[in-house]
Amino acid sequence: MGFRNFRLQIVARVLLLVATVFVFFKIGFDASLVSTQVFVGLLIAAQTVALIVFLERTTNRLVKFLNTIKYDDFTEVFTSRGEGEKFDELYKSYNEVIKKFKDIRSEKEATTHYFQTVVQHIGIGILTFKKSGEVQLMNNAAKRLLQVPRLEHVEHLRAVSPQLAEQLLTLPAGQSAVLKLPHGKERVPVSLYAVDLVLRGEDFRLVSIQNIQRELEDKEMEAWQNLIRVLTHEIMNSVTPIASLAGSVASDVQDYLEAQPGTQICLEREETEDMGMALQTIEKRSQGLVRFVNDFRSLARVPTPKKALFSVEEMFRQLQLLFQEEVAHENILFIVNCRPASLTVLADRELLEQVLINLVRNAIHALADQPNKTLQLEAFQDSDSRTVLQVSDNGMGISEEAQEQIFLPFYTTKPTGSGIGLSLSKQIMRLHKGSLSVSSELGKGTTFTLRF
């Protein structure tokens, strides 16, 4: 109609409709004007429909704008259709509101992506799920700890650890629990901490899962080092004078007996000889005790590793050569495998060789009563690109109780063992920022794993 004002268009349409209705009734119901009446009636209907469509078109654009906001579809753009200045301003406001919502959504998506990236990269495992157990989020650290690529429901973790699934569902909010998870051939201690949340009226649970093996080992070794320092200080202060005094008395008595073999003395010669032998025994036992204490003192005096990059395969060849005669004498099949052959490790070679020699020798002792003896030394990189060395044997294995204590100082299963070899080995690995663990099954064998 050429009008650019919505109000004028409405007025014009209404006036035209009224005028047409007036004409319809003005004509009356004259039989000679039936065709004219039909035409005017159709014109009234057409104008009425046109007015309704005109009004609904404006209403539909408002509904379309509201649906754009409702369904977050901000691709719509409202353009002027010659409906007047007011509608131009209205459509401009629509577009500005849509742009604002679009910017807010983009910012929200960027923020969400940022926090998701942070959550995925932190070292502590994060698991969120509904009260029903339906999992909403699991970060990469949790996937590595639980060894599952994806998880839909907490109950599915019962295949990994029934105790873990139970703790996740029943652990009181604000409290923590410690349990051990199977991780390959090892069992890793983890700490769980649960927090309950309400989001949009729905209850959620957030649980952090943290590997605390390093912390436990640090505390354990620190406690034992402090104990060893106190013991060695006190024992050495007492034993050294005893050993010195016993040696002097024994020497004096022996000299006196040799210088005056026929002289009558206050004590019978036999008694004096017994005294000398007793003092000599005290001296020997005191010296043995001093050596014993010095051995344990080494636990608290491990030198700082002097790290350098070297070939693992070359070190393995030297170890194989070192034990060549011993394994041949014991009829042991000694298998060495390094993959790839170019594998290197950053460590103190002398200290690492000391650890491996100790583990290989323990494996040889474990194979003493086996008919078919196999000892395997291998190296590879795990899924986290960490260098792993393993010493395995097919001996009788180690009981679960012994596995829990095998790395404790003074603990040994050998009749003549000192109980410091594995403790010292584990401390050396801790100084390398690595770990030493054991996995064993009675009747099947044992594997010691060094991970850098």
Side-chain angles (χ1 to χ4, degrees):
M1 291 182 60
F3 297 106
R4 294 187 59 79
N5 189 289
F6 177 77
R7 186 181 303 168
L8 291 178
Q9 290 190 49
I10 293 296
V11 171
R13 289 173 184 272
V14 172
L15 289 178
L16 182 58
L17 180 60
V18 170
T20 306
V21 172
F22 177 78
V23 170
F24 179 84
F25 285 104
K26 185 67 176 176
I27 294 174
F29 298 93
D30 190 345
S32 62
L33 299 175
V34 172
S35 58
T36 303
Q37 288 178 330
V38 172
F39 173 78
V40 174
L42 293 174
L43 184 60
I44 292 172
Q47 289 178 339
T48 303
V49 171
L51 179 59
I52 293 173
V53 169
F54 179 78
L55 293 174
E56 285 185 346
R57 184 175 63 187
T58 305
T59 305
N60 287 339
R61 301 200 83 183
L62 176 59
V63 172
K64 192 174 184 180
F65 167 75
L66 295 176
N67 285 336
T68 297
I69 297 175
K70 179 179 179 181
Y71 298 109
D72 290 338
D73 180 17
F74 301 128
T75 59
E76 186 68 35
V77 177
F78 293 88
T79 57
S80 174
R81 297 184 177 181
E83 296 164 325
E85 182 180 350
K86 293 296 182 182
F87 276 89
D88 290 345
E89 293 178 0
L90 178 62
Y91 296 152
K92 181 180 179 182
S93 297
Y94 281 177
N95 292 330
E96 289 176 353
V97 172
I98 290 175
K99 184 178 183 302
K100 186 67 175 178
F101 272 102
K102 187 176 181 179
D103 292 341
I104 292 174
R105 186 178 69 175
S106 298
E107 184 179 352
K108 179 182 177 182
E109 289 176 350
T111 303
T112 301
H113 178 71
Y114 170 78
F115 283 112
Q116 285 180 343
T117 303
V118 171
V119 169
Q120 292 297 334
H121 280 78
I122 60 178
I124 299 176
I126 299 294
L127 184 66
T128 60
F129 53 92
K130 297 180 181 179
K131 285 294 186 180
S132 61
E134 182 181 351
V135 176
Q136 301 297 307
L137 172 68
M138 181 171 64
N139 69 348
N140 293 327
K143 293 177 182 178
R144 287 194 298 269
L145 278 173
L146 303 179
Q147 292 187 303
V148 290
R150 58 192 301 270
L151 185 65
E152 296 179 356
H153 201 281
V154 172
E155 287 292 339
H156 296 165
L157 288 174
R158 291 194 182 275
V160 178
S161 170
Q163 185 183 5
L164 172 64
E166 189 68 21
Q167 287 285 2
L168 289 175
L169 294 171
T170 61
L171 182 65
Q175 296 188 17
S176 60
V178 176
L179 52 87
K180 287 192 174 183
L181 294 181
H183 198 276
K185 294 183 177 181
E186 308 170 38
R187 292 181 63 82
V188 178
V190 298
S191 173
L192 306 180
Y193 184 82
V195 176
D196 288 340
L197 307 170
V198 178
L199 182 62
R200 296 177 181 177
E202 189 170 8
D203 293 332
F204 286 82
R205 166 159 283 203
L206 185 150
V207 180
S208 63
I209 309 173
Q210 185 175 5
N211 185 340
I212 58 172
Q213 182 172 359
R214 183 177 296 275
E215 288 76 10
L216 289 178
E217 290 178 350
D218 285 340
K219 292 297 182 183
E220 176 184 317
M221 293 310 301
E222 181 182 355
W224 280 112
Q225 285 177 351
N226 290 335
L227 175 61
I228 291 168
R229 290 190 183 100
V230 172
L231 287 176
T232 54
H233 175 74
E234 295 298 329
I235 294 175
M236 289 298 292
N237 284 347
S238 301
V239 171
T240 303
I242 293 175
S244 177
L245 180 60
S248 299
V249 173
S251 178
D252 290 343
V253 171
Q254 190 66 31
D255 291 343
Y256 183 80
L257 292 174
E258 292 177 355
Q260 303 180 28
T263 304
Q264 185 70 27
I265 54 177
C266 297
L267 295 175
E268 295 293 333
R269 185 177 184 84
E270 184 179 353
E271 293 177 345
T272 306
E273 289 177 348
D274 290 342
M275 183 184 298
M277 292 180 62
L279 291 175
Q280 289 175 1
T281 301
I282 292 174
E283 179 186 19
K284 290 179 181 179
R285 295 305 303 159
S286 298
Q287 290 174 349
L289 185 57
V290 170
R291 286 194 300 270
F292 179 80
V293 172
N294 281 330
D295 288 340
F296 285 116
R297 180 184 287 177
S298 62
L299 283 173
R301 291 186 177 179
V302 179
T304 302
K306 298 177 181 178
K307 297 181 181 180
L309 201 63
F310 60 89
S311 169
V312 176
E313 186 180 41
E314 180 186 351
M315 179 180 64
F316 278 6
R317 284 200 303 266
Q318 292 188 4
L319 288 173
Q320 192 174 24
L321 183 62
L322 177 66
F323 287 98
Q324 183 176 354
E325 293 186 6
E326 189 170 354
V327 296
H329 181 267
E330 297 292 337
N331 295 320
I332 297 174
L333 176 61
F334 193 3
I335 301 173
V336 176
N337 183 20
C338 179
R339 57 183 194 275
S342 59
L343 185 65
T344 59
V345 65
L346 181 63
D348 187 315
R349 181 163 177 166
E350 292 185 1
L351 291 178
L352 182 56
E353 286 181 348
Q354 180 181 348
V355 173
L356 291 174
I357 289 172
N358 183 44
L359 295 177
V360 171
R361 198 169 297 282
N362 286 348
I364 293 174
H365 293 162
L367 293 168
D369 299 325
Q370 294 296 105
N372 298 316
K373 306 175 183 181
T374 301
L375 193 158
Q376 184 167 346
L377 184 62
E378 61 178 333
F380 56 90
Q381 283 190 327
D382 64 9
S383 57
D384 296 327
S385 298
R386 298 178 64 182
T387 300
V388 178
L389 310 182
Q390 288 187 330
V391 180
S392 305
D393 65 71
N394 65 337
M396 290 302 296
I398 305 171
S399 67
E400 289 189 9
E401 181 182 357
Q403 289 182 55
E404 295 290 335
Q405 306 178 65
I406 199 169
F407 294 112
L408 295 179
F410 318 144
Y411 179 85
T412 181
T413 57
K414 301 176 184 178
T416 58
S418 63
I420 65 169
L422 289 176
S423 302
L424 187 60
S425 298
K426 187 154 192 173
Q427 188 173 351
I428 289 173
M429 289 302 298
R430 294 299 302 161
L431 292 175
H432 280 85
K433 306 300 181 184
S435 64
L436 173 60
S437 59
V438 61
S439 62
S440 183
E441 190 172 348
L442 288 175
K444 293 188 176 181
T446 302
T447 297
F448 283 91
T449 301
L450 292 77
R451 183 171 276 106
F452 290 88

